Amino acid sequence: MTNLGQKAWFKDPALTRVFALLNADGGEGRVVGGAVRNSLMGLSVSDIDVATTLTPEQVIKRAAAAAIKAVPTGVAHGTVTLVIDGKPFEVTTLRTDVETDGRRAKVAFSSDWQTDAERRDLTINALYVDSKGDVIDLVGGLADIEKRNIRFIGDAATRVAEDYLRILRFFRFFAYYGSGRPDADGLRACASARAKLKTLSAERVWSELRKLLSVEDPGRALLWMRQVGVLSEILPETEKWGIDTIATLINTERALGWKPDPLLRLAAIVPPDADRLEKMATRLKLANAEAAYFKAWTKAPVINDELSSAAFARLLYRHGADGIATRLKLALATARGKAQADMQEMARSARLGKLLELAENWKKPQLPINGGDVMGAGVPAGKQVGETLSALENFWVEENFTPDRAALLARLNDLTK
């Protein structure tokens, strides 16, 4: 039997206390999900989730008796968070689905480990580890982990119909953990139910899509999503826009040490069309900062890579660095993708890289005068103040921000004579 008892996370005294709390007096607790999956795949473990035969009320009562902090984070769904030495452990009662509608499930508490395993989504997420460290596999997850096969538990269509968000989770987990081709039954189930994605809340869809785009390499998953029609359901903006650019972007990220950026990756597969992306932001209910990211990108000018540093600084001042940096990153990725076969693109990528460095380190200079100075020179309050200040600012920018306050005041006096 596979045993994880020697893993550092398993030997944590805090987890030992959790087991002692749950396993006394006929109860039982087992670690489940990500910690087990990642350990078996040789990946790092962060959160540790625990399943138990005890009800939430029993968990809370036992925790109080043991002086362990218990937070009722999701009692209605069976979840209590135990906090030991500052570490949270989500403890959830075994469950069975009473009713599902593709968006949410009504559950009943259970003490049956098999039923609890079979209600989960993917085989690799339904593995348990008991207090001895033994891995308990009730759904064939160990074999799938060995093959890096992402497979729904039981009938794929049934699992998807229980919660249509599982369509996106299938591709996300394939991107994270899968190899080769996606499971054929899973693909068919996702393709058949793809229209049901419209019944989900925008927040759930964007949350899952953002996680997918944060994977080290989401390229294969995105291509399969496009092939079976799932990508067009959630991102119709990609329909007539190539997504091959994602591969060159990922290669550039690796070569230049960029951290995966889900917003940049999304920008790589949608057209820079301000109206369409504003609608996309509204449809997906992006956060204000996320929507602003796409607005800045679409409003930013296309950059001539042969611009001088001074001219580029003027451009940054007038348009802002954020949107320009996004344009430069995408242009740089494209140029690098062509550079191996094209010396001109190699030179272009070098120039784009220098401009990007300038943009990322640029700090907007502060105009040394203000409206008060303009009125102090005798310009009456009103529209003329703004016009005069704007003229001075344009002069200052065109002079590469070099005129100081004294020089600008002197020019102001000339303008108001």
Side-chain angles (χ1 to χ4, degrees):
M1 176 175 283
T2 304
N3 187 281
L4 300 178
Q6 295 306 307
K7 297 291 184 180
W9 64 266
F10 185 83
K11 294 191 289 185
D12 185 338
L15 179 59
T16 301
R17 289 186 67 189
V18 172
F19 277 129
L21 182 80
L22 300 178
N23 290 358
D25 300 323
E28 184 179 8
R30 299 174 183 175
V31 177
V32 65
V36 186
R37 177 196 64 228
N38 283 18
S39 283
L40 292 168
M41 289 185 160
L43 303 172
S44 61
V45 170
S46 52
D47 299 333
I48 299 176
D49 297 331
V50 181
T52 181
T53 56
L54 302 178
T55 65
E57 291 75 15
Q58 289 174 315
V59 173
I60 292 171
K61 184 176 180 179
R62 291 190 182 196
I68 293 174
K69 182 179 180 181
V71 182
T73 46
V75 170
H77 293 91
T79 301
V80 175
T81 299
L82 301 180
V83 183
I84 302 175
D85 299 331
K87 299 175 184 177
F89 297 86
E90 278 200 358
V91 178
T92 302
T93 304
L94 304 188
R95 296 176 293 181
T96 182
D97 290 335
V98 175
E99 181 182 336
T100 61
D101 63 3
R103 292 179 297 168
R104 60 186 67 85
K106 292 182 180 179
V107 299
F109 299 147
S110 168
S111 59
D112 187 327
W113 291 98
Q114 186 72 42
T115 300
D116 184 75
E118 290 176 353
R119 71 171 295 276
R120 296 175 184 270
D121 55 1
L122 303 167
T123 59
I124 65 170
N125 294 336
L127 294 164
Y128 304 95
V129 168
D130 66 15
S131 59
K132 298 177 183 177
D134 289 333
V135 177
I136 300 169
D137 179 10
L138 303 176
V139 292
L142 282 172
D144 286 330
I145 278 183
E146 185 175 343
K147 298 174 184 175
R148 303 187 78 86
N149 182 39
I150 308 306
R151 182 170 63 86
F152 286 111
I153 295 168
D155 179 65
T158 301
R159 294 289 82 75
V160 168
E162 290 167 348
D163 183 353
Y164 295 116
L165 193 68
R166 287 175 173 175
I167 295 172
L168 301 184
R169 283 175 59 82
F170 175 77
F171 290 103
R172 173 164 67 91
F173 278 87
F174 174 72
Y176 266 109
Y177 305 108
S179 66
R181 292 169 58 91
D183 176 70
D185 289 338
L187 274 181
R188 280 192 293 270
C190 292
S192 296
R194 64 185 183 275
K196 295 293 187 178
L197 287 166
K198 290 185 174 69
T199 67
L200 300 175
S201 71
E203 292 88 348
R204 293 184 77 199
V205 170
W206 170 235
S207 175
E208 195 62 38
L209 180 58
R210 185 185 175 96
K211 290 175 185 176
L212 170 62
L213 291 169
S214 299
V215 177
E216 182 180 347
D217 184 356
R220 293 178 307 129
L222 289 170
L223 287 170
W224 281 106
M225 288 169 71
R226 163 168 275 190
Q227 185 164 328
V228 299
V230 168
L231 191 60
S232 294
E233 287 291 336
I234 57 172
L235 282 176
E237 295 79 11
T238 65
E239 285 181 357
K240 296 182 180 180
W241 195 259
I243 63 170
D244 296 339
T245 50
I246 197 76
T248 56
L249 174 58
I250 291 166
N251 289 336
T252 299
E253 289 173 350
R254 291 170 174 168
L256 301 183
W258 297 352
K259 292 183 179 179
D261 181 346
L263 297 183
L264 179 64
R265 288 169 166 188
L266 180 53
I269 61 174
V270 296
D273 182 307
D275 291 338
R276 293 190 69 190
L277 296 193
E278 184 178 355
K279 292 175 182 176
M280 179 193 77
T282 300
R283 186 184 72 249
L284 292 175
K285 295 187 178 179
L286 302 191
N288 290 339
E290 295 168 337
Y293 176 97
F294 289 100
K295 184 176 182 179
W297 169 49
T298 58
K299 297 296 184 183
V302 176
I303 308 302
N304 179 352
D305 55 276
E306 295 183 340
L307 277 177
S308 67
S309 297
F312 186 58
R314 294 195 295 270
L315 205 65
L316 289 170
Y317 183 85
R318 290 191 170 109
H319 296 279
D322 293 342
I324 287 176
T326 301
R327 281 206 180 269
L328 287 171
K329 286 182 176 181
L330 295 174
L332 177 56
T334 299
R336 284 180 59 87
K338 300 175 181 177
Q340 290 182 341
D342 191 324
M343 293 298 293
Q344 288 185 334
E345 290 295 335
M346 185 178 297
R348 182 169 182 264
S349 67
R351 293 193 298 270
L352 288 167
K354 290 179 181 179
L355 291 178
L356 177 60
E357 185 177 357
L358 289 173
E360 291 183 326
N361 292 293
W362 185 73
K363 293 183 179 179
K364 187 174 182 177
Q366 187 70 37
L367 181 66
I369 62 172
N370 56 38
D373 297 314
V374 175
M375 288 189 288
V379 177
K383 182 179 179 181
Q384 192 177 348
V385 173
E387 291 174 345
T388 303
L389 188 62
S390 179
L392 289 166
E393 183 180 31
N394 286 335
F395 164 75
W396 176 67
V397 172
E398 290 304 316
E399 292 297 317
N400 299 318
F401 317 103
T402 54
D404 59 12
R405 177 175 171 79
L408 289 171
L409 289 174
R411 187 170 180 84
L412 172 61
N413 286 332
D414 290 340
L415 289 174
T416 55
K417 284 180 180 178

